[in-house]
Amino acid sequence: MPIDAAKAVSAEPRTTALTWGHKDIQLYHLGVGAGVPATDPDELRYTLESKLHVLPSFATVAGGGMALAGGLSAPGIDVDLAAVLHGGQTIELHRPIPLAGDATQTSKVAAVHDKGKAAVIVLRSDVADADGPLWTCDTRIFVRGEGGFGGDRGPADRLEPPAREPDLTVDRAIREDQALLYRLSGDWNPLHADPEFAKVAGFDRPILHGLCSYGIVLKAVVDTALGGDVARVRSYTTRFAGIVFPGETLRIRMWRDSGAPGRVQVLATAVERDDAPVLTDTVVEHAVEHD
């Protein structure tokens, strides 16, 4: 059944209660590679409750919320799950995420773009607690075979890396059990754990969650470009351009934007597969007062 873009965009927002505590945050941090070395003071801020800070990408799993699933259950959206890919993700922080929270998530389909051979569903989720807005997430869902309905193509969202060497480059090894640990934060898709399911989906073995790579990359930017200060992150956007397997290495290249202080452009690739793209069109916007 084709997507009814008008019905999807005009549908009433849905609300969901979100609750989290420090154990949820610590588990998420371990799932994106924190805690290596275990006693490093720079890692303890992600793993030790008495020193805990919250990596902003935790917003993608807070309360066990899965924005991707929410977009696929919206009115006017009836698609084959086998044709669905997570196309991109943006988080805008309104203030630092607290160590424990009781919040309300309000979600709606903000747009449906017609890419010709595919459709892109943009699901917008606003989260607030008793003290006001916390964050806004835009989840871009790519659906093969659902384009051609005559809608707006939407923005191109392509961002070429600067034509110079990166200002910072770091490698992050992905543990063999990384996907098994990350999925405990709420994404139970067997694609990331079951070899037989992965083969049916066309992969030699289970792949890492795209949002796990998303968290790994943001942690690398915070740790190296932002002095370890998670509170400096204002927004973080990416396009999922490829996969990475547990056991591989992510190479993360960062360019500071001299013309726009407070902006870091990022590219993440899989080292073992000739720098195959994993995250592209990636930007971290941040506060500059401590630069």
Side-chain angles (χ1 to χ4, degrees), residues 270-289:
V271 172
E272 287 82 359
R273 284 179 289 114
D274 299 321
D275 268 350
V278 178
L279 300 185
T280 61
D281 307 323
T282 303
V283 173
V284 177
E285 303 274 359
H286 62 88
V288 298
E289 59 265 30

Side-chain angles (χ1 to χ4, degrees), residues 15 40 92 115 170 182 211 230 248 251:
T15 59
D40 186 331
E92 179 185 359
K115 297 296 186 179
V170 297
Y182 179 84
L211 284 178
V230 298
E248 291 188 329
R251 178 155 293 157

Side-chain angles (χ1 to χ4, degrees), residues 34 47 53 62 70 75 88-89 98 101 112 130 141 144 181 221 226 230 236:
T47 59
H53 296 175
Q89 187 70 45
V112 180
I141 305 166
R144 293 170 293 188
L181 184 57
V221 173
L226 304 184
V230 298
Y236 174 35

Side-chain angles (χ1 to χ4, degrees), residues 2-11 75-77 109-114 119 149 151-152:
I3 294 172
D4 187 334
K7 184 176 181 180
V9 172
S10 63
I77 306 295
V109 173
V112 180
H113 300 309
D114 185 350
F149 54 85
D152 179 20

Side-chain angles (χ1 to χ4, degrees), residues 173-178 205 208 244-249 272:
I174 299 169
R175 291 166 31 177
E176 290 283 353
D177 63 352
Q178 201 74 60
R205 57 191 188 277
L208 193 68
V244 64
F245 293 98
E248 291 188 329
T249 305
E272 287 82 359

Side-chain angles (χ1 to χ4, degrees), residues 52-53 77 87 99 104 112 116 137 149 161 179 196 198 200 204 225-226 231 233 237-238 240 265 273 289:
L52 198 59
H53 296 175
I77 306 295
L99 299 181
T104 299
V112 180
C137 281
F149 54 85
E196 293 183 3
V200 171
D204 294 337
L226 304 184
V233 178
T237 189
T238 198
F240 298 109
Q265 187 173 337
R273 284 179 289 114
E289 59 265 30

Side-chain angles (χ1 to χ4, degrees), residues 86-97:
H86 195 160
Q89 187 70 45
T90 296
I91 299 170
E92 179 185 359
L93 279 299
H94 305 303
R95 54 190 167 93
I97 300 173

Side-chain angles (χ1 to χ4, degrees), residues 209-273:
H209 307 69
L211 284 178
C212 184
S213 300
Y214 185 74
I216 291 170
V217 169
L218 182 61
K219 181 178 181 296
V221 173
V222 168
D223 290 347
T224 59
L226 304 184
D229 188 354
V230 298
R232 291 180 62 191
V233 178
R234 294 292 178 261
S235 67
Y236 174 35
T237 189
T238 198
R239 180 172 65 88
F240 298 109
I243 61 166
V244 64
F245 293 98
E248 291 188 329
T249 305
L250 271 181
R251 178 155 293 157
I252 302 161
R253 298 175 173 89
M254 299 168 241
W255 292 265
R256 298 183 187 274
D257 191 334
S258 58
R263 187 175 188 269
V264 178
Q265 187 173 337
V266 189
L267 174 67
T269 59
V271 172
E272 287 82 359
R273 284 179 289 114

